[in-house]
Amino acid sequence: MTGRAVLTLALALLATAGAGLSAPYRAPRTVSGTPDLQGVWTNLSITELERPKGVTNLIATEAQVAARLSRRKAQLAGLKPPPNPKAPPGDPDDVGQTTSEFPDRDVDFLRIDGQPRTSILVEPPDGRLPYTEAGRKLEAAAEAADDHDFSGPEARLPDERCLIGPSSPEGPPMLGEPQNANYRIVQTPHEIAILSEMIHDVRIVHMGAHHPAVATHPWMGDSIGWWEGDTLVIETVDQNIGAGPRFVGPQVFYLSATAKVVERLTRISPTEIRYDFTVEDPAIYAHRLRGEMMLRATQAQIYEYACHEGNYALENILAGARAVERRAADAKN
């Protein structure tokens, strides 16, 4: 074979090999030329923020996946849940709080690059919240207030008052919920709106500078955004201290007023947005937090979340507390 024939054959083989390689995904563009993140997305999964105690691996094994999904299937089948130690005597069911009563069905692990994750957190390496001593005290105070402080509406948690979601679904960071974990993203050249179905909150990301600090401190902080290539970067400061304790699964996730949260959203396919976040809050955490999640396209409808707890449940809770106080006062007389 001549040298020219060898060269021709080599080029043909390279062309054939190249034909089987797909080009890197390029997100569709909005009319202003930025990557289009618009649509309805969900981050629903059974993977929790923290890694379960005793679990050291970030990537779940097949045995761990099968065991966790089996337990969830049994719970959703209506098997009797473990007793709730906080339930009043004579109220073994604790209606409204069992796993079988409200979460979405057919939920899988959080998967990144197809691999099931044991926690959303990837930093610290153990996947656990590294509270400082001061942070641990605030965590304990939040749990104690939730259980025992019924002095007035301001003492109750914001989700109980229908102000924000209980597990930081609206963010930052957007950690989702076991139900209604849906988001609608709408873009303009100057703002990006992210609607969370839970509690029906809308977070406005301004493509510009932070606003001057104001005394009101927005519930979802002050969020600004910019583009780094095809990645939307959102930086949020000025956290509202009232939203500090967030009950994310069995954990209390606390953010102080000086926390800085940076989120990164990158559309990696027609049906997926990769969502990464970091939290810097040295007063609360001894280590920077970093988490990874996925937003998946969904055909689900966004429904108005009519939160009635603030309409009657909160009134009943406080009325019950006053009745307990009257009974205690009568017993002393």
Side-chain angles (χ1 to χ4, degrees):
M1 183 178 290
T2 65
R4 183 172 182 178
V6 171
L7 178 60
T8 302
L9 177 60
L11 291 174
L13 290 173
L14 286 173
T16 302
L21 299 176
S22 59
Y25 177 76
R26 186 176 188 271
R29 263 43 186 177
T30 64
V31 293
S32 59
T34 58
D36 193 344
L37 306 181
Q38 299 181 106
V40 179
W41 309 86
T42 180
N43 60 5
L44 182 68
S45 81
I46 62 172
T47 300
E48 294 177 349
L49 177 66
E50 279 193 310
R51 203 163 302 154
K53 291 182 179 179
V55 176
T56 59
N57 50 309
L58 173 63
I59 308 302
T61 65
E62 292 304 319
Q64 288 172 324
V65 169
R68 180 67 182 91
L69 294 179
S70 178
R71 289 198 304 273
R72 179 180 173 81
K73 183 177 180 180
Q75 289 171 320
L76 295 179
L79 298 182
K80 188 173 181 62
N84 182 356
K86 299 179 182 179
D91 184 17
D93 291 334
D94 193 17
V95 175
Q97 302 302 315
T98 67
T99 305
S100 63
E101 290 178 337
F102 61 88
D104 286 328
R105 270 57 174 168
D106 301 323
V107 181
D108 193 5
F109 274 65
L110 162 66
R111 293 178 183 268
I112 306 289
D113 298 326
Q115 297 178 317
R117 294 292 183 88
T118 59
S119 64
I120 294 172
L121 286 179
V122 297
E123 288 184 25
D126 64 359
R128 307 286 298 177
L129 292 169
Y131 274 111
T132 61
E133 182 178 352
R136 187 64 67 189
K137 290 180 180 178
L138 288 170
E139 176 201 26
E143 292 179 327
D146 184 39
D147 293 339
H148 305 295
D149 192 346
F150 303 99
S151 56
E154 294 80 8
R156 305 309 302 156
L157 292 173
D159 65 287
E160 204 169 82
R161 297 156 59 194
C162 295
L163 296 172
I164 58 174
S167 299
S168 189
E170 64 283 283
M174 300 185 294
L175 298 179
E177 285 277 349
Q179 57 173 336
N180 308 322
N182 299 319
Y183 302 86
R184 182 182 294 279
I185 298 178
V186 177
Q187 293 173 238
T188 75
H190 306 294
E191 285 90 17
I192 295 178
I194 305 175
L195 165 67
S196 169
E197 183 171 18
M198 177 60 79
I199 304 294
H200 221 67
D201 280 323
V202 180
R203 182 155 63 115
I204 304 296
V205 178
H206 300 277
M207 309 301 284
H210 285 295
H211 291 94
V214 293
T216 52
H217 307 295
W219 280 112
M220 292 166 279
D222 176 25
S223 295
I224 63 169
W226 63 90
W227 292 96
E228 293 183 0
D230 280 6
T231 297
L232 171 64
V233 182
I234 303 174
E235 179 184 272
T236 304
V237 297
D238 194 21
Q239 303 285 339
N240 189 307
I241 191 62
R246 309 167 192 201
F247 289 79
V248 183
Q251 301 95 30
V252 176
F253 175 56
Y254 199 98
L255 291 182
S256 75
T258 58
K260 181 171 76 172
V261 181
V262 176
E263 304 159 280
R264 296 177 180 272
L265 290 83
T266 309
R267 189 165 183 175
I268 61 173
S269 79
T271 59
E272 295 176 306
I273 295 176
R274 182 166 178 137
Y275 175 73
D276 300 341
F277 68 87
T278 59
V279 175
E280 295 181 6
D281 198 353
I284 306 299
Y285 299 110
H287 191 290
R288 182 187 77 156
L289 306 181
R290 186 169 73 85
E292 298 177 341
M293 300 179 72
M294 295 296 291
L295 293 170
R296 304 180 309 280
T298 176
Q299 298 300 314
Q301 297 292 316
I302 296 284
Y303 293 100
E304 180 181 1
Y305 187 89
C307 184
H308 290 298
E309 283 77 2
N311 295 338
Y312 59 84
L314 187 60
E315 180 181 354
N316 293 339
I317 289 169
L318 298 179
R322 303 293 82 79
V324 170
E325 292 167 353
R326 287 194 298 271
R327 187 181 303 166
D330 291 342
K332 291 181 180 180
N333 298 331

